[in-house]
């Protein structure tokens, strides 16, 4: 069993928390864009209140432990590992609750290169506990606006986890999935689930637009987010998102394995 102390040490050693790779400049740029309601940073959340840059710095200082000083403009951002641990416990509580009632779940990621293994392990454990792991709109085309223009992706599921792949990459057997912040994939998946008359998820688990897009539609959502993703934390503050775990979402995929063990153990879902 992984203790809290051991996990805290791992978070710092792997730079999942403490000084992280995300720069202060990146985070502040995201806060400015969010305050201007740029859809690239809102990623599916429609804020109820007006958020300016200082409001967002204050929120992120509270939720993540970043500097609350607006004059701090450079260097690496910092995530307080204690806040990560508290959020992981809350994350595990929501997993345990949906497992106890064998509720349907939907998992999706915009970070398949890094986080697919984390979510796939959750999908396996929830399925073993009797939860239906949903895969609606499998193979559906999704047109997403990127910095390179409009690109067409296919919605796929790998080990029960939704992701999008570029159509040409799918044909060549290339990338495990594309990095995206878009809420369009989860909107398409949820619409397909409703249209088919099948079960709707009682819990959506993921990151980026998967969390924000589903939360904005009224589904219970939990997920992971970095310091430059304020939308998830605003969603949590306004009640659209249940739990957000602050951590670096771009480290090596194997660095998330101890988090998997810890969360499944806390949720009594260890196999």
């Amino acid at each position: 069993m992984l203790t809290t102390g051991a996990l805290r040490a791992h978070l710092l050693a792997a730079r999942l928390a403490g000084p992280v790779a995300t720069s202060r400049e990146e985070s502040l740029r995201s806060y400015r864009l969010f305050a201007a309601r740029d859809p690239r940073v809102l990623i599916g959340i429609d804020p109820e209140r007006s958020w300016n840059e200082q409001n967002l710095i204050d929120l992120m200082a509270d939720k993540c432990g970043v500097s609350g000083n607006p004059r701090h403009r450079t260097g690496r951002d910092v995530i307080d590992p204690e806040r990560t641990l508290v959020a992981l416990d809350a994350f595990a509580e929501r997993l345990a609750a949906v497992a106890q009632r064998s509720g349907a779940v939907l998992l999706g990621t915009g970070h398949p290169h890094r986080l697919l293994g984390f979510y796939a392990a959750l999908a396996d454990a929830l399925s073993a506990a009797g939860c239906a792991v949903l895969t609606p709109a499998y193979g559906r085309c999704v047109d997403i606006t990127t910095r390179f223009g409009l690109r067409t992706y296919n919605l796929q599921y790998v080990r029960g986890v939704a992701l999008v792949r570029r159509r040409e990459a799918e044909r060549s057997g290339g990338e495990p999935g594309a990095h995206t912040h878009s809420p369009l994939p989860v909107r398409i998946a949820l619409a397909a689930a409703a249209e088919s008359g099948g079960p709707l998820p009682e819990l959506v688990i993921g990151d980026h637009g998967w969390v924000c897009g589903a939360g904005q539609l009224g589904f219970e959502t939990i997920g992971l987010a970095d310091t430059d993703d304020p939308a998830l934390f605003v969603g949590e503050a306004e009640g659209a998102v249940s739990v957000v775990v602050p951590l670096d979402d771009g480290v090596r995929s194997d660095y998330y394995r101890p988090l998997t063990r810890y969360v499944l153990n806390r949720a009594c879902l260890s196999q």
Side-chain angles (χ1 to χ4, degrees):
M1 177 179 174
L2 188 67
T3 65
T4 300
L7 182 57
R8 183 188 296 106
H10 172 73
L11 291 172
L12 293 170
R15 295 195 169 173
L16 286 155
V20 294
T22 308
S23 70
R24 180 69 167 180
E25 294 94 329
E26 289 177 272
S27 295
L28 292 176
R29 178 178 179 273
S30 292
Y31 306 162
R32 288 193 298 272
L33 292 173
F34 189 96
R37 293 189 174 242
D38 188 314
R40 294 172 297 175
V41 182
L42 294 177
I43 57 177
I45 283 291
D46 183 13
E48 295 178 356
R49 53 173 283 200
S50 177
W51 292 83
N52 61 33
E53 185 178 351
Q54 185 58 57
N55 296 151
L56 291 164
I57 290 173
D58 293 342
L59 174 71
M60 299 301 282
D62 177 55
K63 295 290 187 179
C64 301
V66 303
S67 172
N69 182 356
R71 291 185 293 277
H72 178 200
R73 314 294 294 182
T74 62
R76 287 185 173 182
D77 246 334
V78 175
I79 295 174
D80 177 4
E82 297 302 326
R83 287 171 169 83
T84 304
L85 291 167
V86 168
L88 283 170
D89 288 345
F91 187 100
E93 287 177 8
R94 303 320 305 150
L95 291 179
V98 76
Q100 286 168 5
R101 60 180 186 270
S102 298
V105 296
L106 176 66
L107 299 95
T109 181
H111 265 299
H113 295 77
R114 307 299 183 187
L115 292 169
L116 178 59
F118 174 78
Y119 296 121
L122 302 186
D124 288 345
L126 290 166
S127 177
C131 295
V133 178
L134 305 180
T135 58
Y138 188 101
R140 191 77 57 87
C141 291
V142 186
D143 292 326
I144 298 175
T145 300
T146 73
R147 58 180 174 165
F148 306 109
L150 193 66
R151 295 288 185 268
T152 298
Y153 298 85
N154 283 348
L155 179 58
Q156 305 254 310
Y157 290 84
V158 176
R159 294 178 58 195
V161 183
L163 49 84
V164 295
R165 279 198 179 107
R166 290 181 298 117
R167 301 177 76 179
E168 56 270 27
E170 182 183 350
R171 287 193 294 268
S172 67
E175 64 183 16
H179 175 246
T180 180
H181 288 80
S182 175
L184 291 177
V186 76
R187 290 174 182 165
I188 288 171
L190 292 170
E195 289 165 6
S196 71
L200 292 173
E202 295 182 28
L203 183 66
V204 177
I205 306 162
D207 47 61
H208 292 173
W210 285 92
V211 170
C212 293
Q216 186 63 41
L217 292 174
F219 291 88
E220 183 178 12
T221 60
I222 60 175
L224 315 178
D226 210 330
T227 59
D228 60 348
D229 290 325
L232 287 86
F233 296 99
V234 168
E236 185 181 35
E238 293 190 346
V241 176
S242 291
V243 178
V244 185
V245 179
L247 49 70
D248 190 321
D249 59 9
V251 304
R252 283 173 35 180
S253 57
D254 56 320
Y255 288 171
Y256 298 97
R257 289 176 189 160
L259 279 68
T260 306
R261 294 198 301 272
Y262 180 83
V263 164
L264 292 180
N265 207 10
R266 298 287 289 187
C268 299
L269 290 171
S270 297
Q271 297 179 15

